[in-house]
Amino acid sequence: MRPIILLFICALMLSSCKNKPNETNTEPVQHQEIAYAKFGKDIVPNDAVIAKSMAAHYIAMKEGDSIDSKMKAKVKKVCQAKGCWMTLDLGNDNEVMVKFKDYGFFVPKDIAGKEVVINGKAYVKEVSVDEQRHYAEDAGKSTEEIAAITSPKRTYSFEADGVLVAQ
């Protein structure tokens, strides 16, 4: 009798397990009347810091500092080659460069102007001239604009492991 009960309990437990969701699942996530498309790791929009508050954190950070964070902001630009990076508006002419952890996922190329929630690590770094020129080329800048980039730049950066895009 005990083996039958044990077998029944095991079968019940196995049938209730859920598979891990696909990392690039774009099924809408519904939250507080806003539907989001999900990219990367599962995240929820709760407790995300608004862009203006995050800008204050970035100002206080030194090169090499990093903090775990979840932020809500509007998309300014997206890599037009394949969606492998985006910039977000922090307000007061500040922006943050967002890349995706281990290039594990990309975002749609047509989300400029949309609200996103990102989760991951915020940090400050100095971007070389070559890297700035590469991003300018990806963004479709002219040859003259690219050539005008002549010095390294301190930037606000973010490595996202999950992104929600408002629909």
Side-chain angles (χ1 to χ4, degrees), residues 65-83:
D65 289 350
S66 69
I67 56 171
D68 291 329
S69 183
K70 187 188 300 181
M71 174 176 57
K72 182 185 289 189
K74 285 217 186 256
V75 177
K76 286 181 79 170
K77 295 178 256 177
V78 178
C79 170
Q80 292 302 294
K82 57 186 171 183

mmCIF file with all atom_site columns, all heavy atoms in Angstrom, residues 65-83:
data_model
loop_
_atom_site.group_PDB
_atom_site.id
_atom_site.type_symbol
_atom_site.label_atom_id
_atom_site.label_alt_id
_atom_site.label_comp_id
_atom_site.label_asym_id
_atom_site.label_entity_id
_atom_site.label_seq_id
_atom_site.pdbx_PDB_ins_code
_atom_site.Cartn_x
_atom_site.Cartn_y
_atom_site.Cartn_z
_atom_site.occupancy
_atom_site.B_iso_or_equiv
_atom_site.pdbx_formal_charge
_atom_site.auth_seq_id
_atom_site.auth_comp_id
_atom_site.auth_asym_id
_atom_site.auth_atom_id
_atom_site.pdbx_PDB_model_num
ATOM 1   N N   . ASP A 1 65 ? 32.395 51.691 -9.871  1.00 0.00 ? 65 ASP A N   1
ATOM 2   C CA  . ASP A 1 65 ? 31.307 51.375 -8.943  1.00 0.00 ? 65 ASP A CA  1
ATOM 3   C C   . ASP A 1 65 ? 30.184 50.671 -9.704  1.00 0.00 ? 65 ASP A C   1
ATOM 4   O O   . ASP A 1 65 ? 29.961 50.932 -10.890 1.00 0.00 ? 65 ASP A O   1
ATOM 5   C CB  . ASP A 1 65 ? 30.717 52.644 -8.324  1.00 0.00 ? 65 ASP A CB  1
ATOM 6   C CG  . ASP A 1 65 ? 31.640 53.309 -7.326  1.00 0.00 ? 65 ASP A CG  1
ATOM 7   O OD1 . ASP A 1 65 ? 32.656 52.697 -6.959  1.00 0.00 ? 65 ASP A OD1 1
ATOM 8   O OD2 . ASP A 1 65 ? 31.335 54.445 -6.915  1.00 0.00 ? 65 ASP A OD2 1
ATOM 9   N N   . SER A 1 66 ? 29.457 49.799 -9.017  1.00 0.00 ? 66 SER A N   1
ATOM 10  C CA  . SER A 1 66 ? 28.264 49.192 -9.617  1.00 0.00 ? 66 SER A CA  1
ATOM 11  C C   . SER A 1 66 ? 27.244 48.918 -8.514  1.00 0.00 ? 66 SER A C   1
ATOM 12  O O   . SER A 1 66 ? 27.611 48.710 -7.356  1.00 0.00 ? 66 SER A O   1
ATOM 13  C CB  . SER A 1 66 ? 28.607 47.903 -10.359 1.00 0.00 ? 66 SER A CB  1
ATOM 14  O OG  . SER A 1 66 ? 28.979 46.890 -9.466  1.00 0.00 ? 66 SER A OG  1
ATOM 15  N N   . ILE A 1 67 ? 25.972 48.951 -8.888  1.00 0.00 ? 67 ILE A N   1
ATOM 16  C CA  . ILE A 1 67 ? 24.898 48.625 -7.948  1.00 0.00 ? 67 ILE A CA  1
ATOM 17  C C   . ILE A 1 67 ? 23.848 47.791 -8.680  1.00 0.00 ? 67 ILE A C   1
ATOM 18  O O   . ILE A 1 67 ? 23.596 47.996 -9.867  1.00 0.00 ? 67 ILE A O   1
ATOM 19  C CB  . ILE A 1 67 ? 24.232 49.881 -7.335  1.00 0.00 ? 67 ILE A CB  1
ATOM 20  C CG1 . ILE A 1 67 ? 23.706 50.831 -8.423  1.00 0.00 ? 67 ILE A CG1 1
ATOM 21  C CG2 . ILE A 1 67 ? 25.153 50.604 -6.403  1.00 0.00 ? 67 ILE A CG2 1
ATOM 22  C CD1 . ILE A 1 67 ? 22.857 51.972 -7.892  1.00 0.00 ? 67 ILE A CD1 1
ATOM 23  N N   . ASP A 1 68 ? 23.263 46.832 -7.966  1.00 0.00 ? 68 ASP A N   1
ATOM 24  C CA  . ASP A 1 68 ? 22.136 46.083 -8.511  1.00 0.00 ? 68 ASP A CA  1
ATOM 25  C C   . ASP A 1 68 ? 20.938 47.012 -8.509  1.00 0.00 ? 68 ASP A C   1
ATOM 26  O O   . ASP A 1 68 ? 20.698 47.723 -7.526  1.00 0.00 ? 68 ASP A O   1
ATOM 27  C CB  . ASP A 1 68 ? 21.837 44.848 -7.656  1.00 0.00 ? 68 ASP A CB  1
ATOM 28  C CG  . ASP A 1 68 ? 22.936 43.804 -7.757  1.00 0.00 ? 68 ASP A CG  1
ATOM 29  O OD1 . ASP A 1 68 ? 23.581 43.714 -8.822  1.00 0.00 ? 68 ASP A OD1 1
ATOM 30  O OD2 . ASP A 1 68 ? 23.140 43.072 -6.776  1.00 0.00 ? 68 ASP A OD2 1
ATOM 31  N N   . SER A 1 69 ? 20.189 47.023 -9.619  1.00 0.00 ? 69 SER A N   1
ATOM 32  C CA  . SER A 1 69 ? 19.096 47.974 -9.715  1.00 0.00 ? 69 SER A CA  1
ATOM 33  C C   . SER A 1 69 ? 18.007 47.486 -10.662 1.00 0.00 ? 69 SER A C   1
ATOM 34  O O   . SER A 1 69 ? 18.241 46.639 -11.525 1.00 0.00 ? 69 SER A O   1
ATOM 35  C CB  . SER A 1 69 ? 19.648 49.314 -10.216 1.00 0.00 ? 69 SER A CB  1
ATOM 36  O OG  . SER A 1 69 ? 18.639 50.283 -10.250 1.00 0.00 ? 69 SER A OG  1
ATOM 37  N N   . LYS A 1 70 ? 16.841 48.055 -10.480 1.00 0.00 ? 70 LYS A N   1
ATOM 38  C CA  . LYS A 1 70 ? 15.730 47.896 -11.411 1.00 0.00 ? 70 LYS A CA  1
ATOM 39  C C   . LYS A 1 70 ? 15.227 49.301 -11.697 1.00 0.00 ? 70 LYS A C   1
ATOM 40  O O   . LYS A 1 70 ? 14.945 50.067 -10.783 1.00 0.00 ? 70 LYS A O   1
ATOM 41  C CB  . LYS A 1 70 ? 14.618 47.052 -10.792 1.00 0.00 ? 70 LYS A CB  1
ATOM 42  C CG  . LYS A 1 70 ? 13.509 46.718 -11.765 1.00 0.00 ? 70 LYS A CG  1
ATOM 43  C CD  . LYS A 1 70 ? 12.326 46.056 -11.100 1.00 0.00 ? 70 LYS A CD  1
ATOM 44  C CE  . LYS A 1 70 ? 12.670 44.768 -10.430 1.00 0.00 ? 70 LYS A CE  1
ATOM 45  N NZ  . LYS A 1 70 ? 11.476 44.133 -9.818  1.00 0.00 ? 70 LYS A NZ  1
ATOM 46  N N   . MET A 1 71 ? 15.146 49.659 -12.981 1.00 0.00 ? 71 MET A N   1
ATOM 47  C CA  . MET A 1 71 ? 14.835 51.045 -13.347 1.00 0.00 ? 71 MET A CA  1
ATOM 48  C C   . MET A 1 71 ? 13.750 51.089 -14.414 1.00 0.00 ? 71 MET A C   1
ATOM 49  O O   . MET A 1 71 ? 13.684 50.229 -15.289 1.00 0.00 ? 71 MET A O   1
ATOM 50  C CB  . MET A 1 71 ? 16.116 51.704 -13.879 1.00 0.00 ? 71 MET A CB  1
ATOM 51  C CG  . MET A 1 71 ? 15.907 53.095 -14.424 1.00 0.00 ? 71 MET A CG  1
ATOM 52  S SD  . MET A 1 71 ? 17.439 53.927 -14.936 1.00 0.00 ? 71 MET A SD  1
ATOM 53  C CE  . MET A 1 71 ? 18.123 52.824 -16.123 1.00 0.00 ? 71 MET A CE  1
ATOM 54  N N   . LYS A 1 72 ? 12.928 52.146 -14.340 1.00 0.00 ? 72 LYS A N   1
ATOM 55  C CA  . LYS A 1 72 ? 11.888 52.410 -15.337 1.00 0.00 ? 72 LYS A CA  1
ATOM 56  C C   . LYS A 1 72 ? 12.255 53.707 -16.057 1.00 0.00 ? 72 LYS A C   1
ATOM 57  O O   . LYS A 1 72 ? 12.525 54.721 -15.409 1.00 0.00 ? 72 LYS A O   1
ATOM 58  C CB  . LYS A 1 72 ? 10.534 52.560 -14.661 1.00 0.00 ? 72 LYS A CB  1
ATOM 59  C CG  . LYS A 1 72 ? 9.375  52.787 -15.615 1.00 0.00 ? 72 LYS A CG  1
ATOM 60  C CD  . LYS A 1 72 ? 8.075  53.049 -14.884 1.00 0.00 ? 72 LYS A CD  1
ATOM 61  C CE  . LYS A 1 72 ? 7.586  51.785 -14.234 1.00 0.00 ? 72 LYS A CE  1
ATOM 62  N NZ  . LYS A 1 72 ? 6.223  51.932 -13.686 1.00 0.00 ? 72 LYS A NZ  1
ATOM 63  N N   . ALA A 1 73 ? 12.291 53.667 -17.409 1.00 0.00 ? 73 ALA A N   1
ATOM 64  C CA  . ALA A 1 73 ? 12.664 54.851 -18.182 1.00 0.00 ? 73 ALA A CA  1
ATOM 65  C C   . ALA A 1 73 ? 12.138 54.723 -19.609 1.00 0.00 ? 73 ALA A C   1
ATOM 66  O O   . ALA A 1 73 ? 11.653 53.667 -20.010 1.00 0.00 ? 73 ALA A O   1
ATOM 67  C CB  . ALA A 1 73 ? 14.183 55.010 -18.197 1.00 0.00 ? 73 ALA A CB  1
ATOM 68  N N   . LYS A 1 74 ? 12.262 55.817 -20.367 1.00 0.00 ? 74 LYS A N   1
ATOM 69  C CA  . LYS A 1 74 ? 11.883 55.826 -21.788 1.00 0.00 ? 74 LYS A CA  1
ATOM 70  C C   . LYS A 1 74 ? 13.106 55.549 -22.643 1.00 0.00 ? 74 LYS A C   1
ATOM 71  O O   . LYS A 1 74 ? 14.197 56.034 -22.368 1.00 0.00 ? 74 LYS A O   1
ATOM 72  C CB  . LYS A 1 74 ? 11.295 57.173 -22.182 1.00 0.00 ? 74 LYS A CB  1
ATOM 73  C CG  . LYS A 1 74 ? 9.902  57.368 -21.668 1.00 0.00 ? 74 LYS A CG  1
ATOM 74  C CD  . LYS A 1 74 ? 9.057  58.109 -22.680 1.00 0.00 ? 74 LYS A CD  1
ATOM 75  C CE  . LYS A 1 74 ? 7.725  58.413 -22.052 1.00 0.00 ? 74 LYS A CE  1
ATOM 76  N NZ  . LYS A 1 74 ? 6.671  57.582 -22.500 1.00 0.00 ? 74 LYS A NZ  1
ATOM 77  N N   . VAL A 1 75 ? 12.886 54.789 -23.705 1.00 0.00 ? 75 VAL A N   1
ATOM 78  C CA  . VAL A 1 75 ? 13.954 54.451 -24.648 1.00 0.00 ? 75 VAL A CA  1
ATOM 79  C C   . VAL A 1 75 ? 14.212 55.645 -25.566 1.00 0.00 ? 75 VAL A C   1
ATOM 80  O O   . VAL A 1 75 ? 13.278 56.211 -26.125 1.00 0.00 ? 75 VAL A O   1
ATOM 81  C CB  . VAL A 1 75 ? 13.570 53.215 -25.490 1.00 0.00 ? 75 VAL A CB  1
ATOM 82  C CG1 . VAL A 1 75 ? 14.648 52.907 -26.522 1.00 0.00 ? 75 VAL A CG1 1
ATOM 83  C CG2 . VAL A 1 75 ? 13.300 52.015 -24.605 1.00 0.00 ? 75 VAL A CG2 1
ATOM 84  N N   . LYS A 1 76 ? 15.486 56.022 -25.685 1.00 0.00 ? 76 LYS A N   1
ATOM 85  C CA  . LYS A 1 76 ? 15.873 57.082 -26.622 1.00 0.00 ? 76 LYS A CA  1
ATOM 86  C C   . LYS A 1 76 ? 16.266 56.485 -27.969 1.00 0.00 ? 76 LYS A C   1
ATOM 87  O O   . LYS A 1 76 ? 15.751 56.887 -29.003 1.00 0.00 ? 76 LYS A O   1
ATOM 88  C CB  . LYS A 1 76 ? 17.042 57.899 -26.062 1.00 0.00 ? 76 LYS A CB  1
ATOM 89  C CG  . LYS A 1 76 ? 16.646 58.834 -24.931 1.00 0.00 ? 76 LYS A CG  1
ATOM 90  C CD  . LYS A 1 76 ? 17.824 59.631 -24.428 1.00 0.00 ? 76 LYS A CD  1
ATOM 91  C CE  . LYS A 1 76 ? 18.109 60.779 -25.372 1.00 0.00 ? 76 LYS A CE  1
ATOM 92  N NZ  . LYS A 1 76 ? 19.087 61.727 -24.815 1.00 0.00 ? 76 LYS A NZ  1
ATOM 93  N N   . LYS A 1 77 ? 17.216 55.535 -27.950 1.00 0.00 ? 77 LYS A N   1
ATOM 94  C CA  . LYS A 1 77 ? 17.720 54.935 -29.187 1.00 0.00 ? 77 LYS A CA  1
ATOM 95  C C   . LYS A 1 77 ? 17.904 53.438 -28.982 1.00 0.00 ? 77 LYS A C   1
ATOM 96  O O   . LYS A 1 77 ? 18.119 52.985 -27.870 1.00 0.00 ? 77 LYS A O   1
ATOM 97  C CB  . LYS A 1 77 ? 19.082 55.526 -29.566 1.00 0.00 ? 77 LYS A CB  1
ATOM 98  C CG  . LYS A 1 77 ? 19.068 57.000 -29.914 1.00 0.00 ? 77 LYS A CG  1
ATOM 99  C CD  . LYS A 1 77 ? 20.465 57.477 -30.229 1.00 0.00 ? 77 LYS A CD  1
ATOM 100 C CE  . LYS A 1 77 ? 20.962 58.264 -29.033 1.00 0.00 ? 77 LYS A CE  1
ATOM 101 N NZ  . LYS A 1 77 ? 22.294 58.766 -29.094 1.00 0.00 ? 77 LYS A NZ  1
ATOM 102 N N   . VAL A 1 78 ? 17.860 52.720 -30.105 1.00 0.00 ? 78 VAL A N   1
ATOM 103 C CA  . VAL A 1 78 ? 18.103 51.278 -30.102 1.00 0.00 ? 78 VAL A CA  1
ATOM 104 C C   . VAL A 1 78 ? 19.065 50.958 -31.236 1.00 0.00 ? 78 VAL A C   1
ATOM 105 O O   . VAL A 1 78 ? 18.989 51.566 -32.313 1.00 0.00 ? 78 VAL A O   1
ATOM 106 C CB  . VAL A 1 78 ? 16.789 50.488 -30.323 1.00 0.00 ? 78 VAL A CB  1
ATOM 107 C CG1 . VAL A 1 78 ? 17.053 48.989 -30.364 1.00 0.00 ? 78 VAL A CG1 1
ATOM 108 C CG2 . VAL A 1 78 ? 15.775 50.813 -29.261 1.00 0.00 ? 78 VAL A CG2 1
ATOM 109 N N   . CYS A 1 79 ? 19.953 50.000 -31.025 1.00 0.00 ? 79 CYS A N   1
ATOM 110 C CA  . CYS A 1 79 ? 20.854 49.534 -32.083 1.00 0.00 ? 79 CYS A CA  1
ATOM 111 C C   . CYS A 1 79 ? 20.015 49.117 -33.283 1.00 0.00 ? 79 CYS A C   1
ATOM 112 O O   . CYS A 1 79 ? 19.150 48.252 -33.158 1.00 0.00 ? 79 CYS A O   1
ATOM 113 C CB  . CYS A 1 79 ? 21.685 48.357 -31.590 1.00 0.00 ? 79 CYS A CB  1
ATOM 114 S SG  . CYS A 1 79 ? 22.611 47.535 -32.906 1.00 0.00 ? 79 CYS A SG  1
ATOM 115 N N   . GLN A 1 80 ? 20.265 49.734 -34.426 1.00 0.00 ? 80 GLN A N   1
ATOM 116 C CA  . GLN A 1 80 ? 19.491 49.418 -35.618 1.00 0.00 ? 80 GLN A CA  1
ATOM 117 C C   . GLN A 1 80 ? 20.062 48.244 -36.391 1.00 0.00 ? 80 GLN A C   1
ATOM 118 O O   . GLN A 1 80 ? 19.458 47.777 -37.354 1.00 0.00 ? 80 GLN A O   1
ATOM 119 C CB  . GLN A 1 80 ? 19.364 50.659 -36.512 1.00 0.00 ? 80 GLN A CB  1
ATOM 120 C CG  . GLN A 1 80 ? 18.508 51.755 -35.895 1.00 0.00 ? 80 GLN A CG  1
ATOM 121 C CD  . GLN A 1 80 ? 17.098 51.286 -35.581 1.00 0.00 ? 80 GLN A CD  1
ATOM 122 O OE1 . GLN A 1 80 ? 16.322 50.966 -36.485 1.00 0.00 ? 80 GLN A OE1 1
ATOM 123 N NE2 . GLN A 1 80 ? 16.753 51.204 -34.300 1.00 0.00 ? 80 GLN A NE2 1
ATOM 124 N N   . ALA A 1 81 ? 21.225 47.735 -35.965 1.00 0.00 ? 81 ALA A N   1
ATOM 125 C CA  . ALA A 1 81 ? 21.786 46.555 -36.616 1.00 0.00 ? 81 ALA A CA  1
ATOM 126 C C   . ALA A 1 81 ? 21.045 45.294 -36.174 1.00 0.00 ? 81 ALA A C   1
ATOM 127 O O   . ALA A 1 81 ? 20.640 44.487 -36.997 1.00 0.00 ? 81 ALA A O   1
ATOM 128 C CB  . ALA A 1 81 ? 23.279 46.437 -36.322 1.00 0.00 ? 81 ALA A CB  1
ATOM 129 N N   . LYS A 1 82 ? 20.856 45.122 -34.823 1.00 0.00 ? 82 LYS A N   1
ATOM 130 C CA  . LYS A 1 82 ? 20.167 43.924 -34.347 1.00 0.00 ? 82 LYS A CA  1
ATOM 131 C C   . LYS A 1 82 ? 19.477 44.075 -32.995 1.00 0.00 ? 82 LYS A C   1
ATOM 132 O O   . LYS A 1 82 ? 19.022 43.098 -32.430 1.00 0.00 ? 82 LYS A O   1
ATOM 133 C CB  . LYS A 1 82 ? 21.119 42.738 -34.324 1.00 0.00 ? 82 LYS A CB  1
ATOM 134 C CG  . LYS A 1 82 ? 22.356 42.927 -33.487 1.00 0.00 ? 82 LYS A CG  1
ATOM 135 C CD  . LYS A 1 82 ? 23.293 41.736 -33.658 1.00 0.00 ? 82 LYS A CD  1
ATOM 136 C CE  . LYS A 1 82 ? 24.618 42.013 -32.997 1.00 0.00 ? 82 LYS A CE  1
ATOM 137 N NZ  . LYS A 1 82 ? 25.551 40.939 -33.193 1.00 0.00 ? 82 LYS A NZ  1
ATOM 138 N N   . GLY A 1 83 ? 19.403 45.285 -32.446 1.00 0.00 ? 83 GLY A N   1
ATOM 139 C CA  . GLY A 1 83 ? 18.744 45.474 -31.146 1.00 0.00 ? 83 GLY A CA  1
ATOM 140 C C   . GLY A 1 83 ? 19.605 45.038 -29.978 1.00 0.00 ? 83 GLY A C   1
ATOM 141 O O   . GLY A 1 83 ? 19.090 44.670 -28.931 1.00 0.00 ? 83 GLY A O   1
#
